[in-house]
Each structure stands twice: as structure tokens, then as C-alpha cells.
Amino acid sequence: MLKRISLLTGAFALVFTLSANGQEYTDARALVEAAFEKAGGAKWESVESMVMSSSMSIDSPQGEMMGTAKLTFVYPGYLHARILLDVDDGSGMPMGPITQVMTPDTGYVQTDQGTQSMPGGNGPKAASDEMYMLRDGGPELALEIAELDGAQVYKVTATSDDETSMHYYAMGSLVKLAKEVQTPGGSTWIHYDDYRDLDGLMVAHKMTQDMAGGMKQILTMKSIEVNSGVDKDKLFGAKDQ
């Protein structure tokens, strides 16, 4: 009898601990607000630019490619990506750099073969997804419980006129685990790992992107610079920069 009482007391203590230290969210905005605060909160509002230098691996049906990438974000709306892959161009010569540029008005991809124009407006909407989701007039948010990699997680669906994205958060810590974006070519997933503190900002240092066609791209950060004085005119001016 005493053993049974002890077990019941332990169970009630566990329930009380979970109730006191944890919170079950039923409102999407409240969850996003809490996740935003845990990731740095208002500190994100001062982020004007971010430069990420990383190693890169690309797994495709044709095999694996290795290389490096330098991603420069200027918020909102601007992305400059310079990629070097350790492969040849088919003639035994190293392939040249791949440059992708996105601005609010235009975009392009530049390779050894030339330059291809892209539509504008596909750059980063804010320094933090959560900051964008919480802004006045932002996307409509909906919350549900889902499963990711065998564990229950919070899933927030953000719907706007031009995009629908799904954001997955760990139930206990509210760490963002993944993001899913619906595109004309299918869903694109980004998984986030190895979070580190950068002057109060929690930033993932490993990102794995699953793309349509069976391709997987892994970025492992070597360095991340915040507000390092990006030359915006040089990066986003003429196409030959």
C-alpha cells in the first residue's frame, strides 16, 4: 500500500512539474511569440545584415558534390549567394563560381555559361521568420500538433497571398526544427541543427535542405557575421559584380 501511495505521489509530482515549468500552446501567435523570445526576441530587430560562410555538400541522383558557399543577406529582400563546387565543367577544368542574386525587384543566376534572369521579390522577408510572421499585416497563422522524425512537434502554418510555409518547433524548448515551403515544383524542406548563441541571437549552424528531384543540400557554417558592414551597392548593383 505504501509503495502504491509513493508511486501515485511521484506521478502527481511529475504532473505538477510539467504544469509549472511547461506550457501547452493552443494559439499560433502566442507560440510564435514565445519561440521568437527564446531565439533572441527584440535583438533580431537590430539585425540589418548577416554573412554566412560555409562548407557545402550536395547529394543528387548523379552523385555527391562538395564545395563552399558564402551567403550574404541584407534585410529585408536581398540575398547574394556565391557558390564554388569541387567539380569540373566536363572538359577537366574546374567549374567557375555560381552567383545567385535576389532583390525586391529582380534576380539572376550567373555561371560560366551566362546569366539567367529570375523574378524579384523572393529574397528574405526579415532577419527572422518569426519576426516576419508577427508583424502587423503579416501572414495568417494556424497551429496544430504534428509529427516530425518520430516526435510530436508544434506545426505553425503561415499563409499569405504569395506563399504558404510550415514551421516546426520542438514542444519543450520551442527550438525551430524545420521549415517547409510549398513551391510550384513541390515542397522544399529546411532542417535546422547546431544552434549557437551569437550575442543573444540563437542561430542554426547547420542547415539541411531537401529539394524536389531527390536532391539534398547541407550547409555547415564556418563563420557568421552580423551587421558587418555589407557593401550593398557592390553586391546588388550591376550583374558583373
Side-chain angles (χ1 to χ4, degrees), residues 42-201:
K43 290 181 180 294
W44 283 101
E45 297 173 5
S46 65
V47 177
E48 298 178 354
S49 67
M50 192 171 287
V51 181
M52 300 180 173
S53 298
S54 73
S55 61
M56 167 186 277
S57 67
I58 300 176
D59 293 328
S60 72
Q62 290 74 39
E64 184 179 19
M65 294 179 286
M66 306 297 293
T68 60
K70 184 174 183 180
L71 309 176
T72 302
F73 301 90
V74 178
Y75 306 105
Y78 294 83
L79 165 64
H80 184 283
R82 184 176 176 85
I83 299 168
L84 284 170
L85 296 175
D86 187 18
V87 294
D88 63 53
D89 61 2
S91 65
M93 297 296 292
M95 180 182 291
I98 302 169
T99 301
Q100 181 176 0
V101 171
M102 297 182 186
T103 77
D105 302 315
T106 187
Y108 64 88
V109 175
Q110 192 173 50
T111 68
D112 289 344
Q113 285 72 45
T115 301
Q116 179 180 348
S117 296
M118 297 176 61
N122 293 317
K125 295 179 173 61
S128 157
D129 284 337
E130 288 68 34
M131 188 165 64
Y132 165 70
M133 288 191 282
L134 293 172
R135 74 178 187 179
D136 292 340
E140 181 179 341
L141 304 177
L143 174 65
E144 61 184 298
I145 303 299
E147 187 172 297
L148 182 69
D149 297 330
Q152 283 195 327
V153 297
Y154 289 115
K155 175 183 176 182
V156 175
T157 300
T159 305
S160 62
D161 292 339
D162 59 348
E163 182 181 271
T164 297
S165 58
M166 284 68 73
H167 306 257
Y168 298 81
Y169 301 89
M171 279 198 153
S173 63
L174 300 186
V175 168
K176 187 169 187 172
L177 303 173
K179 175 182 177 180
E180 179 186 3
V181 180
Q182 294 179 347
T183 68
S187 293
T188 296
W189 283 80
I190 303 175
H191 296 265
Y192 304 97
D193 296 287
D194 190 16
Y195 278 89
R196 302 181 195 177
D197 189 315
L198 293 179
D199 295 326
L201 304 173

